[in-house]
Amino acid sequence: MTTVWTVATVHPARTRRRARRRPGFRSPVVRRLIAEHQLDAVTIDGTGAAGRVSREDIRRVLETPPQVEVVPLNRTQRLTGEHMVRSLHVAPHAFIAIEVDFERVERERRAAGLTYLPFVARAVIDAVAACPRVNATVGDGELVLHHAVHLGIAVDLHHQGLIVPVVRDAHSKRLGALADEMRDLAARARAKRLAADDVAGGTFTITNPGPSGTAISAPIIHQPQVAILSTDGVRRRPVVVEAADGTEAIAVHAVGMVGLSFDHRAFDGAYAAEFLARVREIVETRRWEIEL
């Protein structure tokens, strides 16, 4: 019996073309994903057969966070940063804080649908009468005391910067009017509808990181003012309270920190402490229901 062997002949050029095509081959699905997500195919390491890029390779690239991302600062962020750097350069900053019991405020603000901020603002305005040097600006080798309180309220612009609109003649406004105007200014600030006059002429500023649950904050002074007050997170916790008969008991109250960054040229720590103590006294003892 005769055995016949058949030898297949493969054209060398075809082999070379097939070998060259294999590593760069991409399925229609992979090509679609690359185009859809605007990926650079050359930078994707393929883990498939012969180094092919697979759907899993595309998924891995999409789920891997970028190593470097450049985000340009907007105009508000640049100007705010420059202003803060100047403030730190010209003013010897100091900071002091005090714990405040907000329980009396808590009852009234919930009933009126308000935040803590207008109550603190009202207390600050009245405390200025006892400590007028906190409501001042620094001039050329002098301290200018202001009898009117034009209260700046720092407003976050959806994490795209910060702006400080001013409640003019805040000393002449009761709690409800203060709350309404502060709410209006904040809304117009975020909608980019503030006029130049709305952000000029402030004599004292309050910043309010408290809604995010902060413990204690030391803000930078808004020049040429000499002080800025911060209100931090208010939490319910046990405190010692004194009854009318002088006995003590444990109760759960709303408690938070209030801080003051101040220019040490304008006044010293004892004066700052006296001002914060007055703010605390007003917050804790005022009959807020009368103002509402």
Side-chain angles (χ1 to χ4, degrees), residues 28-235:
V29 173
V30 169
R31 290 199 298 271
R32 177 178 59 79
L33 289 173
I34 289 174
E36 181 180 320
H37 295 284
Q38 299 181 339
L39 301 175
D40 184 357
V42 177
T43 64
I44 302 174
D45 295 326
T47 60
R52 295 178 183 176
V53 176
S54 66
R55 278 180 292 183
E56 285 300 307
D57 296 325
I58 300 295
R59 182 185 61 78
R60 173 175 47 80
V61 170
L62 293 176
E63 292 179 353
T64 302
Q67 298 301 310
V68 177
E69 183 177 4
V70 178
V71 179
L73 298 177
N74 61 40
R75 183 174 182 275
T76 299
Q77 291 168 326
R78 293 196 305 272
L79 291 176
T80 301
E82 292 167 2
H83 185 68
M84 296 297 99
V85 169
R86 285 197 301 272
S87 180
L88 289 171
H89 178 71
V90 302
H93 278 59
F95 177 76
I96 193 167
I98 197 168
E99 187 176 77
V100 178
D101 189 329
F102 285 92
E103 190 63 20
R104 186 182 289 267
V105 167
E106 181 72 11
R107 293 192 297 268
E108 302 306 326
R109 79 165 192 93
R110 285 185 177 274
L114 298 174
T115 67
Y116 297 102
L117 185 56
F119 294 88
V120 174
R122 190 71 181 89
V124 163
I125 293 164
D126 285 357
V128 164
C131 303
R133 293 174 76 91
V134 303
N135 189 56
T137 53
V138 175
D140 185 11
E142 61 188 11
L143 188 66
V144 182
L145 304 184
H146 302 286
H147 296 294
V149 180
H150 302 309
L151 187 64
I153 304 295
V155 177
D156 170 63
L157 302 177
H158 305 295
H159 308 307
Q160 294 300 309
L162 185 73
I163 196 166
V164 185
V166 176
V167 179
R168 300 207 168 279
D169 297 313
H171 59 282
S172 66
K173 295 177 171 66
R174 293 177 69 85
L175 180 61
L178 270 177
D180 290 343
E181 188 164 347
M182 289 162 64
R183 189 184 302 112
D184 174 68
L185 284 170
R188 288 196 286 123
R190 295 186 177 111
K192 299 181 179 180
R193 291 191 291 107
L194 291 176
D197 287 345
D198 291 326
V199 295
T203 60
F204 187 93
T205 296
I206 297 177
T207 183
N208 181 37
S212 297
T214 53
I216 191 166
S217 307
I220 298 173
I221 300 167
H222 186 32
Q223 293 296 319
Q225 298 168 24
V226 298
I228 178 171
L229 185 132
S230 60
T231 59
D232 287 287
V234 177
R235 300 172 179 82

